[in-house]
């Protein structure tokens, strides 16, 4: 360990943790005593106790006290959080002069603060605040309660009109946010609790609502609820939804019909329905959101209509077109139509990126399996300077005390303006500490100088090599998967409950243990490094067997379950890159691209058999192709 500490430091650590407990219990006397003691000892994390002390009195603190604190601790990540809480307190007290003095200094993305700023700005007669408030309104997510005051002012001023309310309702219903939709609908005249119960009925059984015509089409609310019922049904039973649509479409005007065709098209494209592009055409000039634009492109890609793909990408907003994914597929569309010069102009630029699309672009240009560039290794002095950085030291100290979020925030802020050499020195410090995820994230940020051993580390290799060999797995692929799953954080646990380096779900662990004949298995064992790697590699072998030795499909199966990848195949062989790009689940789509991209760098680093990314992606067999039976 680089960051050592003495028995005296251990005592200070205990006092610091007791100070945090006092803050959580709102025991200001105990917190004050601990803070004063830690300050007198010049304890490295003592400023955090001052932050907690301020938070306990923030609602009553005067301007000079808070500004003095912010000036003194400006270099700390908690300073901006404190400023955000102070801004909220100022807004609640309607102290707009001080609020707008401090607001430009606030750097965090906090919607509650943004709503206060818009509300205060409107009260101050700022025209820009009206536009800010309108922009905040148009979202498909739930907003903090204080935002309602802004929207009340906008509605009272005639800026937030009925059409704006309906537009947001549609956004919310697209995400099935029923409760929030009900609140928004109450801004419309004539909407009562009985009307809102109809929304529950549509959500629970759209088929019954439509077939029995339970909701009239006379009112705007009735039409919107029927549109939502049709869209909701199209997600699970598209044929039935289309059949009902043919009977009901006369109840809607042209704009509504176009809107619904656009929604039908999106869901059809996600289901790989060849008719998706036709549905998009029937949507006419209805505006398409980002998701619809992308799935329209994927629908063309899926059926190999390169000319259509080119025009679809060209119709995207400039910011969307400039994303690596669409730059790559635009180049592929050009190349498929023999526009080689135009394709290469894009590919050359794209190939300079150390990313999934950068690798594919390089391979399209003909430079395949090139060696990694020479690594820059920081010297002892550069590492010493990094280690002596106060933010780096605080990050290491906070990690030692298991304050994970605070540790990462300290590191992020400390390294925010580092150049490549400083980033690599800091990454080396994190690596030596076994803080692998931070080492990777830091090394990933370099622009010209790189160290791929830090970007793609191989910890636990003695153990990993054996398990990969036992299961006849490509070690580079396994490492690429772990890097994406957990960044080598052995205690990592997902929101869904997956655990360890290879993020194994509890039920999957029990199934693997039974399959391996482990009668003494206990759920806690999955958190043990050895067991996690043993189970994870065993399950990877299982997915490879189930997916006919296709690494792409096996990777998708590891993330989304073994039943889905086969359903995502086409009726004929499909290029692996197209299959990966058209996976319906955004999480799995991103996952497989990153895992297989990682495996290229790991393969070069481990000296594995050279293999291009296209070879790793392979060709996905058509539906009905023979698949290996499960091995015993």
């Amino acid at each position: 360990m680089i960051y050592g500490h003495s028995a005296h430091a251990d005592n200070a650590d205990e006092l610091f943790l007791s100070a945090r407990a006092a803050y959580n219990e709102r025991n200001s006397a105990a917190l004050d005593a601990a803070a004063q003691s830690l300050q007198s000892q010049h304890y490295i994390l003592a400023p955090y106790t001052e932050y907690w002390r301020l938070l306990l009195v923030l609602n009553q603190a005067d301007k000079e006290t808070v500004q003095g604190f912010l000036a003194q601790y400006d270099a700390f990540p908690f300073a901006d959080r404190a400023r955000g809480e102070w801004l909220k307190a100022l807004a609640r007290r309607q102290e707009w002069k001080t609020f707008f003095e401090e607001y430009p200094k606030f750097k965090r993305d906090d919607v509650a603060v943004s709503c206060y700023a818009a509300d205060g700005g409107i009260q101050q007669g700022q025209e820009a605040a009206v536009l800010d408030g309108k922009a905040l309104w148009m979202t498909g997510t739930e907003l903090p309660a204080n935002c309602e005051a802004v929207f009340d002012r906008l509605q009272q001023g005639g800026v937030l009109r009925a059409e704006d309310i309906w537009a947001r309702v549609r956004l919310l219903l697209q995400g099935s946010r029923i409760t929030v939709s009900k609140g928004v609908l109450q801004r419309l005249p004539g909407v009562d609790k009985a009307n809102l119960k109809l929304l529950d009925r549509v959500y629970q059984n759209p088929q019954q609502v439509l077939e029995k015509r339970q909701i009239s089409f006379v009112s705007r609310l009735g039409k919107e609820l029927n549109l939502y019922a049709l869209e909701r049904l199209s997600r699970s039973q598209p044929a039935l939804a289309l059949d009902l649509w043919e009977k009901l479409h006369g109840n809607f005007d042209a704009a509504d019909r176009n809107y619904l065709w656009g929604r039908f098209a999106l869901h059809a494209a996600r289901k790989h329905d060849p008719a998706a592009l036709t549905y998009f055409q029937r949507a006419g000039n209805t505006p398409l959101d980002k998701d619809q634009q992308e799935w329209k492109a994927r629908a063309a890609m899926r059926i190999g209509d390169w000319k259509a793909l080119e025009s679809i990408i060209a119709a995207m907003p400039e910011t969307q077109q400039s994303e690596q994914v669409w730059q790559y597929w635009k180049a592929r569309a050009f190349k498929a139509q023999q526009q080689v010069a135009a394709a290469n102009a894009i590919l050359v630029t794209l190939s300079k990126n150390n990313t999934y699309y950068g690798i594919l672009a390089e391979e399209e240009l003909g430079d395949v399996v090139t060696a990694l560039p020479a690594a820059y290794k920081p010297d002892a002095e550069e590492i010493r300077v990094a280690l002596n950085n106060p933010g780096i030291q605080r990050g290491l100290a906070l990690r030692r005390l298991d304050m994970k979020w605070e540790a990462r925030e300290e590191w992020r802020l400390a390294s925010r303006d580092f150049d490549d050499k400083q980033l690599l020195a800091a990454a080396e410090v994190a690596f030596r500490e076994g803080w692998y995820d931070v080492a990777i994230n830091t090394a990933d940020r370099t622009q010209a100088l790189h160290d791929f051993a830090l970007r793609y580390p191989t910890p636990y290799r003695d153990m990993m090599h054996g398990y990969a060999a036992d299961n006849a797995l490509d070690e580079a692929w396994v490492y690429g998967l772990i890097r994406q799953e957990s960044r080598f954080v052995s205690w990592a646990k997902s929101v869904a409950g997956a655990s360890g380096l290879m993020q194994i779900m509890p039920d999957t662990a029990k199934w693997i243990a039974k399959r391996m004949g482990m009668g003494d298995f206990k759920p806690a064992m999955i958190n043990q490094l050895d067991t996690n790697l043993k189970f994870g590699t065993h399950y990877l072998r299982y997915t490879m067997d189930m997916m006919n030795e296709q690494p792409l499909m096996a990777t998708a199966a590891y993330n989304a379950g073994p039943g889905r990848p086969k359903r995502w195949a086409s009726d004929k062989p499909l290029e692996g890159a197209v299959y990966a790009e058209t996976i319906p689940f955004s999480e799995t789509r991103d996952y497989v691209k990153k895992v297989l991209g990682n495996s290229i760098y790991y393969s070069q680093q481990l000296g594995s058999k050279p293999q291009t990314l296209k070879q790793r992606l392979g060709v996905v067999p058509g539906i009905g192709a023979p698949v290996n039976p499960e091995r015993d």
Side-chain angles (χ1 to χ4, degrees), residues 153 200 212 347 608:
R153 294 186 196 281
D200 292 319
K212 295 188 176 181
L347 294 170
S608 306

Side-chain angles (χ1 to χ4, degrees), residues 216-228:
S216 167
F217 291 85
V218 174
S219 69
R220 175 68 185 268
L221 178 62
K223 289 182 179 179
E224 291 292 339
L225 291 177
N226 277 290
L227 280 174
Y228 175 51

Side-chain angles (χ1 to χ4, degrees), residues 279-506:
Y279 298 164
F280 274 118
Q281 289 172 355
R282 297 192 71 172
N285 60 356
T286 193
L288 301 181
D289 62 25
K290 189 175 191 291
D291 211 21
Q292 288 171 306
Q293 293 273 13
E294 292 182 346
W295 276 104
K296 187 177 182 181
R298 292 186 183 110
M301 184 191 308
R302 183 87 177 186
I303 63 174
D305 190 338
W306 297 104
K307 184 175 179 57
L309 178 59
E310 178 194 342
S311 63
I312 292 166
I313 295 173
M316 291 177 177
E318 287 295 328
T319 52
Q320 193 174 4
Q321 284 192 52
S322 65
E323 294 172 8
Q324 288 190 29
V325 51
W326 303 119
Q327 284 293 293
Y328 173 73
W329 288 108
K330 182 178 181 179
R332 286 288 306 276
F334 281 146
K335 194 169 182 179
Q337 298 175 83
Q338 309 304 315
Q339 300 175 47
V340 178
N344 288 348
I346 297 171
L347 294 170
V348 167
T349 300
L350 195 55
S351 68
K352 296 173 183 176
N353 297 285
N354 296 306
T355 61
Y356 172 84
Y357 295 106
I359 298 168
L360 286 177
E362 190 172 39
E363 292 178 0
E364 286 291 336
L365 290 167
D367 297 322
V368 295
V369 199
T370 55
L372 293 173
Y376 179 84
K377 297 291 184 182
D379 59 30
E381 176 60 17
E382 289 171 316
I383 292 172
R384 186 193 67 79
V385 170
L387 186 55
N388 285 336
N389 180 289
I392 297 293
Q393 290 191 348
R394 289 193 297 269
L396 293 170
L398 288 161
R399 176 176 181 262
R400 186 180 72 238
L401 297 177
D402 203 32
M403 294 175 67
K404 300 180 181 69
W405 180 87
E406 292 88 349
R408 284 178 171 77
E409 279 292 285
E410 282 282 6
W411 194 280
R412 181 193 62 78
L413 189 60
S415 62
R416 180 178 56 187
D417 298 321
F418 281 4
D419 61 24
D420 284 358
K421 292 182 179 181
Q422 291 171 312
L423 285 171
L424 292 175
E428 182 65 31
V429 169
F431 180 79
R432 294 182 187 183
E433 283 288 314
W435 204 359
Y436 299 123
D437 57 328
V438 168
I440 291 168
N441 295 341
T442 307
D444 257 347
R445 290 163 50 199
T446 58
Q447 300 297 311
L449 301 175
H450 308 295
D451 185 350
F452 285 85
L454 289 172
R455 286 192 180 199
Y456 300 92
T458 55
Y460 320 116
R461 191 167 183 208
D462 290 344
M463 198 182 301
M464 169 62 72
H465 184 76
Y467 287 131
D470 289 346
N471 290 283
L473 297 172
D474 174 18
E475 194 176 1
W477 177 46
V478 181
Y479 265 117
L481 183 141
I482 295 175
R483 185 185 190 271
Q484 182 59 24
E485 284 284 1
S486 67
R487 285 291 206 264
F488 303 98
V489 177
S490 59
W491 42 259
K493 193 161 187 174
S494 73
V495 175
S499 298
L501 287 184
M502 300 192 73
Q503 291 290 280
I504 301 171
M505 294 291 290

Side-chain angles (χ1 to χ4, degrees), residues 34 43 61 149 162 167 195 198 253 256 268 288 297 319 344 373 406 418 430 462 466 486 510 545 601 603 623 627:
Y43 178 63
N195 298 136
L198 293 174
D253 62 23
D256 287 343
L288 301 181
T319 52
N344 288 348
E406 292 88 349
F418 281 4
D462 290 344
S486 67
K510 291 177 187 176
D545 292 337
Y601 292 109
S603 178
I623 293 173
V627 177

Side-chain angles (χ1 to χ4, degrees), residues 151-265:
F151 306 144
D152 288 345
R153 294 186 196 281
L154 292 175
Q155 191 169 10
Q156 290 162 10
V159 177
L160 189 63
R161 298 163 301 175
E163 281 305 312
D164 300 314
I165 294 170
W166 286 117
R168 185 166 180 218
V169 167
R170 282 188 177 181
L171 287 176
L172 290 164
L173 291 179
Q174 286 167 18
S176 294
R177 291 180 169 85
I178 304 303
T179 301
V180 186
S181 297
K182 289 179 180 179
V184 172
L185 281 168
Q186 290 180 70
R187 288 185 172 274
L188 293 165
V191 174
D192 56 26
K193 290 184 179 179
N195 298 136
L196 297 179
K197 286 181 180 178
L198 293 174
L199 190 51
D200 292 319
R201 189 183 300 177
V202 172
Y203 179 76
Q204 292 161 6
N205 198 333
Q207 181 179 347
Q208 185 181 79
V209 166
L210 293 165
E211 289 182 338
K212 295 188 176 181
R213 304 207 177 190
Q214 294 177 337
I215 300 176
S216 167
F217 291 85
V218 174
S219 69
R220 175 68 185 268
L221 178 62
K223 289 182 179 179
E224 291 292 339
L225 291 177
N226 277 290
L227 280 174
Y228 175 51
L230 285 159
E231 183 194 357
R232 184 160 176 77
L233 188 62
S234 74
R235 301 180 189 204
S236 56
Q237 300 181 70
L240 177 59
L242 281 170
D243 181 58
L244 288 168
W245 175 235
E246 287 301 317
K247 300 172 184 175
L248 299 172
H249 73 271
N251 293 290
F252 301 95
D253 62 23
D256 287 343
R257 290 196 293 270
N258 288 348
Y259 166 77
L260 194 59
W261 276 116
R263 303 310 297 172
F264 279 165

